[in-house]
Amino acid sequence: MRIDIISVVPDLLNSPFAHSIMKRAQAKGLLEVVVHNLRDYTPYKHAQVDDYQFGGGAGMVMMPEPLAIAIETLQKDRPYDEVIFMTPDGPTWNQKAANTLSLKQNLMIICGHYKGIDQRIRDHYITMEVSIGDYVLSGGELAAAVLVDSIGRLIPGVLNDETSALSDSFQDDLLSHPVYTRPANFRGWEVPEVLMCGDPKKVEAWRYEQALKRTEERRPDLLQHEE
Ligand code: 6GU
């Protein structure tokens, strides 16, 4: 999969994909993340990319021309399955959406800043809008990093048995069970005995029960299967 990200603060996206599972996904050739500076595409002087909003009001708006040129330039080289705009007024991101996008070939992500982007870009180029939750970030970059990470780890072949996504929270609409490692007794705090009994059936049953209990207590909304 290839993911192109358009940003006015491309440096914000240097580190998030340079470590751990995202690094390995790229080293394996399963994921390619390319970050573009929107200012490289503007036809305006002084690398201008934003301007005052028509109708008045505080806050700048990202101009349509630099974004249209950037999007069209990238689209000349390959077809994109989705052109995604990161915005707090989009539908909220979740695991199901991550699963769906992990099977695509090429994604483009536009990061918003200031008051947002000119609505005409949203009307004519954007195929999908995404928010990562009900709070406001200074720009779309951190949200884009969340998106790429959650998608990238699901690309077939990225995770191995040890890091398998199958037991992740949300993957089956349940939160994860508690986990423990050595020592079995830490400052008098014992690991649950069932985990030491050596019977995989008993362990699995305990884990399921714990996952269900956690979900009932913390996220009962996940147990309402309406789809
Ligand atoms: Cl995608 N962008 C911004 N700026 N703030 C957010 C967001 C996105 N998702 C939640 N808050």
Side-chain angles (χ1 to χ4, degrees):
M1 177 188 302
R2 174 173 165 132
I3 303 180
D4 289 271
I5 308 177
I6 299 174
S7 163
V8 286
V9 200
D11 285 354
L12 271 177
L13 293 162
N14 283 343
S15 168
F17 316 120
H19 308 279
S20 180
I21 290 170
M22 291 305 106
K23 181 182 182 181
R24 207 174 59 219
Q26 291 175 95
K28 281 184 174 174
L30 298 169
L31 173 67
E32 186 182 7
V33 182
V34 185
V35 181
H36 307 268
N37 189 341
L38 181 63
R39 294 183 198 282
D40 293 341
Y41 296 91
T42 186
Y44 301 109
K45 269 186 286 189
H46 312 301
Q48 183 185 1
V49 292
D50 61 329
D51 209 337
Y52 297 100
Q53 42 178 326
F54 282 123
M60 308 292 272
V61 174
M62 288 168 71
M63 306 163 87
E65 185 88 29
L67 283 166
I69 291 172
I71 294 168
E72 286 170 358
T73 302
L74 294 180
Q75 281 176 333
K76 274 196 197 110
D77 289 333
R78 59 188 58 75
Y80 287 88
D81 298 292
E82 300 285 356
V83 179
I84 303 165
F85 176 47
M86 304 306 306
T87 177
D89 54 18
T92 310
W93 186 243
N94 59 27
Q95 191 65 31
K96 193 170 161 233
N99 283 333
T100 303
L101 289 196
S102 72
L103 302 173
K104 305 292 185 190
Q105 278 313 303
N106 301 304
L107 300 175
M108 194 191 306
I109 302 179
I110 315 295
C111 300
H113 259 267
Y114 320 110
K115 275 283 157 203
I117 67 175
D118 189 286
Q119 181 60 37
R120 289 166 291 185
I121 293 295
R122 295 171 77 160
D123 293 342
H124 296 286
Y125 294 91
I126 300 297
T127 63
M128 181 178 186
E129 301 191 332
V130 173
S131 161
I132 62 162
D134 292 342
Y135 41 82
V136 177
L137 302 168
S138 315
E141 284 78 12
L142 297 182
V146 166
L147 222 69
V148 172
D149 189 293
S150 60
I151 293 169
R153 61 196 297 287
L154 294 174
I155 296 171
V158 168
L159 298 184
N160 50 36
D161 279 353
E162 223 138 90
T163 52
S164 167
L166 291 177
S167 60
D168 284 346
S169 281
F170 300 112
Q171 203 55 265
D172 43 14
D173 285 335
L174 283 183
L175 301 183
S176 289
H177 55 77
V179 294
Y180 298 86
T181 186
R182 291 190 301 169
N185 182 331
F186 173 64
R187 300 184 178 171
W189 305 321
E190 307 265 13
V191 168
E193 263 197 44
V194 59
L195 297 179
M196 251 84 76
C197 76
D199 180 343
K201 283 243 157 58
K202 277 191 186 153
V203 169
E204 198 197 339
W206 181 85
R207 285 177 170 167
Y208 180 71
E209 178 191 301
Q210 292 291 315
L212 202 57
K213 180 164 164 264
R214 251 190 195 181
T215 311
E216 278 163 352
E217 284 169 7
R218 300 176 181 193
R219 294 293 307 276
D221 56 297
L222 292 178
L223 298 170
Q224 257 100 62
H225 287 280
E226 271 151 313
E227 303 170 55

